Amino acid sequence: MTTKLPHVAAAITVYRPDMILLEALIKTAASSVGRVYLFIDGPTGDAINAADDAMLRAGPAGCIHQSKRNLGIAAGLNTLCEAAIRDGFERIIMFDQDSEAVPDLICRLDATLSRLVAEGTRPAAVGARPIAAEGSGTKAPRYHARAAASGNAVPVDFVIISGCLLNLNYWSQIGAFDEVLRMDAVDVEWGFRAWSHNCSVWVEEVSLLSHRVGTGTIRLGPVAFPRQSVDRMANYVRSQALLLRQRHVPIRWKLRSMIYVPLQIGVFVLSASPALATARKLISAGRDGWIAGGRS
């Protein structure tokens, strides 16, 4: 039987969901946490159809927020974290709407976070290790270990949003997710910011979470990354350019991005049609991100 954690909430942002996956996720989360919070990112008819909206409101989610227009994952998660704090929760676990979480995942992450707190490591977040969802053909992210492990937990630069258990006390100190980024690199930027505030971020190596990004993988030699729409790729390029101007982002990450992102752009353009229009859009996105990074 799954243990109920009354001090933990769950947060899920919703935009044009696969309702079978989302309903299963809500059911799993509701069995383990004190409350499930949803953020529908846009109006009914766009972000979600009316029938699915009604189904969610009649289901086990304890609190549903909805925006009048699409704001992005960062804004949605900030809204849900603030709501959880007002309602007295100490921790919140975040999921993508298509995540496939096993019933005891939240309990394992909560136990690891408590142990790290007791060890004095100032853990801001502990995440599950992402693996590519079966049959998805996608590529799961890999993490850079910053130091030696503590048990099954490894300190890393960041963990992805899905399957990330936040310590809300430290979240308040570090600050909200950067809404200028909207979706891509929200977790990367916040992870580096957590470290700059003398907090830590960890991945629990034995806690696995199926993860999907895009509709497959684009490969050319050593370059491999998720196959996504042009708009989503443009958002990725913009976000990575923005990070280049953030003081708390390490030089090693910036150097990597300056080499790897142009390679990704080149490979993506070769696979796109029309190629010239795609190249222009991605270059423009990078320029916009660089400018935005100077303002933030």
Side-chain angles (χ1 to χ4, degrees):
M1 183 176 178
T2 304
T3 302
K4 194 88 163 178
L5 303 171
H7 60 288
V8 179
I12 306 169
T13 55
V14 177
Y15 184 75
R16 300 178 182 176
D18 178 322
M19 287 300 292
I20 294 176
L21 292 174
L22 179 57
E23 285 185 293
L25 175 61
I26 293 171
K27 183 178 179 181
T28 298
S31 69
S32 298
V33 302
R35 182 172 298 167
V36 176
Y37 293 85
L38 302 182
F39 183 86
I40 300 174
D41 195 6
T44 302
D46 178 23
I48 191 169
N49 66 50
D52 291 342
D53 185 294
M55 192 179 302
L56 288 181
R57 295 181 190 279
C63 186
I64 298 178
H65 295 258
Q66 186 168 10
S67 58
K68 293 181 180 180
R69 60 184 179 86
N70 184 260
L71 299 176
I73 289 172
L77 292 175
N78 287 338
T79 296
L80 300 186
C81 287
E82 290 162 1
I85 290 171
R86 287 195 303 270
D87 292 339
F89 289 98
E90 300 170 12
R91 299 172 182 178
I92 191 166
I93 186 161
M94 304 175 293
F95 289 111
D96 290 345
Q97 64 185 11
D98 56 359
S99 297
E100 298 176 29
V102 296
D104 64 343
L105 173 70
I106 301 173
C107 292
R108 292 203 306 268
L109 293 176
D110 183 64
T112 297
L113 184 56
S114 294
R115 176 174 61 80
L116 293 169
V117 168
E119 292 175 359
T121 62
R122 291 175 54 83
V126 176
R129 182 164 68 86
I131 58 173
E134 186 176 354
S136 67
T138 58
K139 178 176 176 283
R142 291 183 293 180
Y143 296 134
H144 166 74
R146 295 177 65 109
S150 171
N152 291 320
V154 178
V156 291
D157 290 331
F158 70 97
V159 288
I160 64 171
I161 292 295
S162 194
C164 172
L165 178 64
L166 281 181
N167 183 330
L168 287 172
N169 179 47
Y170 287 136
W171 181 85
S172 297
Q173 296 177 33
I174 294 162
F177 298 110
D178 188 348
E179 296 182 13
V180 177
L181 290 167
R182 289 183 57 84
M183 59 180 76
D184 286 295
V186 170
D187 39 21
V188 176
E189 186 278 332
W190 193 87
F192 285 131
R193 185 150 39 99
W195 284 104
S196 74
H197 281 72
N198 296 315
C199 293
S200 58
V201 177
W202 302 75
V203 62
E204 232 283 357
E205 285 288 300
V206 297
S207 297
L208 308 180
L209 183 70
S210 294
H211 181 64
R212 295 178 177 84
V213 175
T215 56
T217 301
I218 296 177
R219 295 182 184 274
L220 183 63
V223 181
F225 56 96
R227 183 181 299 278
Q228 304 182 87
S229 68
V230 175
D231 286 342
R232 186 64 191 269
M233 185 65 181
N235 190 81
Y236 165 79
V237 171
R238 177 183 180 276
S239 297
Q240 294 300 323
L242 189 152
L243 291 187
L244 293 176
R245 303 190 71 175
Q246 303 306 298
R247 292 182 179 180
H248 55 276
V249 175
I251 291 295
R252 60 176 170 80
W253 182 273
K254 294 176 180 179
L255 290 175
R256 173 189 175 277
S257 294
M258 291 169 66
I259 296 170
Y260 191 57
V261 174
L263 288 174
Q264 289 178 299
I265 292 173
V267 173
F268 189 88
V269 167
L270 288 174
S271 68
S273 180
L276 183 58
T278 299
R280 286 174 176 165
K281 183 164 188 170
L282 298 185
I283 292 169
S284 176
R287 182 178 63 249
D288 290 347
W290 177 260
I291 293 170
R295 294 171 181 162
S296 59

